[in-house]
Each structure stands twice: as C-alpha cells, then as structure tokens.
Amino acid sequence: MSLCVAMLIASEFMPVSLLTPIADSLGATEGQTGQAISISGFFAVTASLLMTTLAGRIDRKWALVTMTGLMLLSLGLIAAAPTFIVLMLARALLGICIGGFWALGTAVIMRLVPKESVSRALAVMYTGQAVAAAFAAPIGSYLGGIIGWRGVFWILVPIVALNLVWQLLVLPSLPADDRQSFRSLLAVLKRPYFARGITAVILTFAGAFSMFAYLRPFLETVTGADVVTLSQLFLVLGCSGFIGTWAGGRYANDHVIRLLQMVPLTMAVVTLGLIGFGQLVVTTAALLAIWGIMNTAMSIGWMAWLSQNVGDAPEAAGSLIVAAIQASILLGAALGGALLDHIGVDAAFMGSAVLSGIAVLLVGSGNRLLKDTSSRKCCIIRHRLMP
C-alpha cells in the first residue's frame, strides 16, 4: 500500500515538476497545464464519494487492485498523449484511481492493525507519499531534461505493474463489513464536529496546493533556478517530508489538534517568506524544507483525526474526507492558475497564504473538532452541580 501511495502521489503531482515542458509540447499555457492537476482532483472527488457505495460488498482487496490497474492504464495514456485533450482524459482516469484508493485506504489500515497502532501504520503508508515527494519531482525535473516528460511517465509504468502483482500476492482478503449508502455518508456529514473538520480540511489543502501546483514557475522566475537547481530544491522539499512522516506518526495519536493547528499556520508563514525572500536560493531551500515537513504531516494528522473521531464509520468518513481533500486540490490549483495567468505568481502564493490563515482560524482551539466535546461539557456541568 505504501508503494501504491508513492505511485499515486508521483503520478498526480509529476506535472508540477514538468509543467513548463508539458505546456510547450502540447501548446497550452502553464496555467492551463496546471489544470491537469485540477481535473484529476475533480474526478477523484466523484470517485471517493461513489467508491464505498458502488463497491458494495466487494472484497476491499479487489477494489484496491482494480484502482491500481486503472492507474497503470492512465500512466500509459499520459505518456502517449498526442494532444492536451487526451492528457486531460488520462488525468481524469487517474483521478478515479486516486479517489477510489484513498477512500478505502484509512479504513483498510484500521482493519490491518490494532487500534493503538493506527497512527504508526498510517505513517508507514504515508512513507510512500514522502518517498514520492522526495524523489518524484527532482528526478522528474532532471530526467525530463534528458529523456523528455513522456519518458518520465513511461518509467512509472513498470513500477506500477510490479505493485499490481505485489498487491495480488500479499494483500489479505478484506470482505466488506456493511454495504455503504449515500445515507450513511450524509449521517456522518451531519455530525457538527465532522462538518467543521471537513471545512478545515478543504481550506488547509487548498492553501497548500494553490502554492505547490505553481512552485516551478515561481522558482524559475523569482528564484532564477535552472534545471539542476530546480532538481536540488525539489529534492530538499521532498526529503524533508520524511521528517514530517516520522513526526506525524509519532505525535498524531496524542497531539492531533496541535498538529492540525501547526500545519496551516506554518505553511502560511513559509509562503509569505517565499514571496519576500524567494530570490535567495539558500533561504528558499530552507523554507521549502519546512513546508515539506508540514506537507506530509498534514495528511497523517487529518487521517489520525478521522480514526480517533469517526472510528464507528471509517469508510463513510474516509470517502468524505478524501472527497474534501481532492476538492481542495481542485480549488487550490484552479485558483492558483487563475491568479498566475491574470496577475502573477506572487498573487497565487498570496492566495495560498490567505486560505491557510483562514484554516488556522477555523481549527481554533480544536475543541469543536472532537466528537466527545459535548459529552465532556455535560460531565463538567454535572460535576459542578453535584454537592
């Protein structure tokens, strides 16, 4: 599952490091090419909402294997895409894989390990995200200059094929516990603390990706980075993600709210720092390292929050939170692309900081994001009324 996550993340965000050559090759603007991330996010939203209902009582092992097979097909189509339209169609197929896999991922982890090990198991799975963040962008940027962006995507094809075989061999049978329905999704969404959490998720991830999707144009125009420097900066960004994965797995169980507060606040400060000091390569590298730590800790934090507060309905909650994350990627990339094309890259980064700041305010003290807040208040009141 960790390798599958690595391939999903690499496939989804590889256009970030190859944005300029893809745009030039297919005759599109950089802002339009950034929408290749948006389109996968749109279909991921739909797939994540439909997966647990359409899958019904299908063994979850075979659902995950099917998503991996579709990812393999998508990568072949992307690498061979003759036009921008074909690229977008292939990215739409990839979005279905992303939404379907992530909708089930956390629920599957919760079934594979004891409750007290869920955060650490999530960290293991999200190590794949850290690996992809560490090596996909810099290697993609570097190899793109040598073998072209199509060659980079062709390299991913045999790795995904290997992962497909690996899943078939080692994943245990995971029969569905109950048949999910849209009513079960609505029942979870009607929980006030969960609805507030989902809103905070959207703002946090939208803030992150309205910056991240257009990082390469910023580094090229503001920092003045060439291909080698770009690869080095993306490597710094990605390698720091291992620290975020470790920290998320270690602290999410006992300090999840503090983590959810820290991530958007730090990301907003880093993004403003890039606007002010992005012309300095060393300073930019340091800021990107901090951002990379927060980026991987962000996903672990929110999935740990889900496992702690919606453990009675993990598949329904997983579908909703994945839909929220993918919708936020769609929103963030679309907003950032519009600001980039019509105003400039600094405007895209400023929009990112504003969204992250709003997310900090929404998380607040965190008490309103916890399922047992009401019961604790009742206990406190009863205790005070007792003689």
Side-chain angles (χ1 to χ4, degrees):
M1 289 183 71
S2 183
L3 178 58
C4 191
V5 166
M7 292 299 97
L8 284 169
I9 297 297
S11 303
E12 185 174 14
F13 299 116
M14 190 68 78
V16 172
S17 63
L18 299 168
L19 195 68
T20 305
I22 291 175
D24 292 342
S25 172
L26 298 178
T29 69
E30 291 177 343
Q32 289 172 332
T33 307
Q35 305 312 312
I37 297 175
S38 299
I39 193 69
S40 63
F42 175 80
F43 279 88
V45 170
T46 305
S48 61
L49 290 174
L50 295 177
M51 170 54 67
T52 55
T53 55
L54 293 182
R57 295 190 178 277
I58 295 175
D59 191 304
R60 289 338 189 202
K61 169 183 177 175
W62 296 108
L64 294 180
V65 166
T66 300
M67 293 301 103
T68 307
L70 290 177
M71 175 169 56
L72 182 63
L73 175 61
S74 169
L75 286 172
L77 289 174
I78 292 172
T83 65
F84 184 70
I85 296 298
V86 174
L87 174 70
M88 295 294 276
L89 291 174
R91 294 287 298 181
L93 181 60
L94 179 64
I96 295 173
C97 311
I98 293 165
F101 181 89
W102 284 118
L104 298 174
T106 300
V108 168
I109 288 292
M110 291 173 68
R111 295 176 64 181
L112 292 177
V113 302
K115 182 178 180 180
E116 62 274 12
S117 301
V118 169
S119 289
R120 289 193 295 273
L122 286 171
V124 171
M125 185 172 72
Y126 276 96
T127 298
Q129 176 182 347
V131 170
F135 301 112
I139 290 176
S141 177
Y142 179 73
L143 290 180
I146 299 175
I147 62 175
W149 67 270
R150 297 181 188 275
V152 174
F153 281 99
W154 279 123
I155 288 175
L156 297 178
V157 170
I159 302 176
V160 175
L162 172 64
N163 183 241
L164 179 62
V165 174
W166 195 355
Q167 288 182 24
L168 287 168
L169 293 176
V170 304
L171 273 180
S173 178
L174 297 165
D177 292 331
D178 296 298
R179 184 180 181 87
Q180 300 292 323
S181 66
F182 288 108
R183 184 175 298 176
S184 60
L185 296 180
L186 290 174
V188 172
L189 192 57
K190 286 179 180 178
R191 302 180 187 185
Y193 70 90
F194 186 79
R196 284 189 287 269
I198 285 291
T199 306
V201 165
I202 292 173
L203 290 166
T204 300
F205 279 83
F209 286 98
S210 60
M211 183 278 265
F212 180 66
Y214 304 100
L215 185 56
R216 176 163 178 161
F218 177 87
L219 295 176
E220 288 175 331
T221 59
V222 177
T223 311
D226 55 20
V227 173
V228 174
T229 305
L230 276 173
S231 298
Q232 292 170 341
L233 290 173
F234 277 121
L235 185 61
V236 168
L237 173 68
C239 286
S240 62
F242 288 103
I243 301 175
T245 300
W246 170 82
R250 183 177 178 84
Y251 297 110
N253 254 355
D254 300 323
H255 307 285
V256 67
I257 292 300
R258 188 170 298 175
L259 189 61
L260 300 183
Q261 294 166 333
M262 184 185 304
V263 166
L265 176 61
T266 306
M267 284 183 158
V269 172
V270 166
T271 303
L272 293 175
L274 286 171
I275 294 174
F277 304 100
Q279 68 276 12
L280 305 174
V281 175
V282 175
T283 303
T284 297
L287 290 170
L288 290 180
I290 297 171
W291 196 94
I293 293 171
M294 295 297 107
N295 185 47
T296 50
M298 174 172 63
S299 298
I300 296 172
W302 280 110
M303 291 305 175
W305 170 80
L306 182 154
S307 68
Q308 293 173 18
N309 292 277
V310 207
D312 59 318
E315 286 198 358
S319 294
L320 289 168
I321 199 168
V322 170
I325 290 172
Q326 295 301 325
S328 67
I329 293 173
L330 172 66
L331 172 65
L335 175 63
L339 291 172
L340 173 65
D341 283 347
H342 296 289
I343 302 177
V345 69
D346 281 357
F349 276 40
M350 184 62 70
S352 168
V354 170
L355 290 173
S356 296
I358 297 172
V360 174
L361 295 176
L362 187 59
V363 172
S365 66
N367 289 332
R368 289 161 62 84
L369 302 184
L370 302 177
K371 67 176 181 180
D372 57 347
T373 299
S374 297
S375 61
R376 284 205 309 268
K377 286 181 178 179
C378 290
C379 291
I380 291 171
I381 293 171
R382 283 197 296 266
H383 176 74
R384 288 175 177 172
L385 291 176
M386 289 175 62

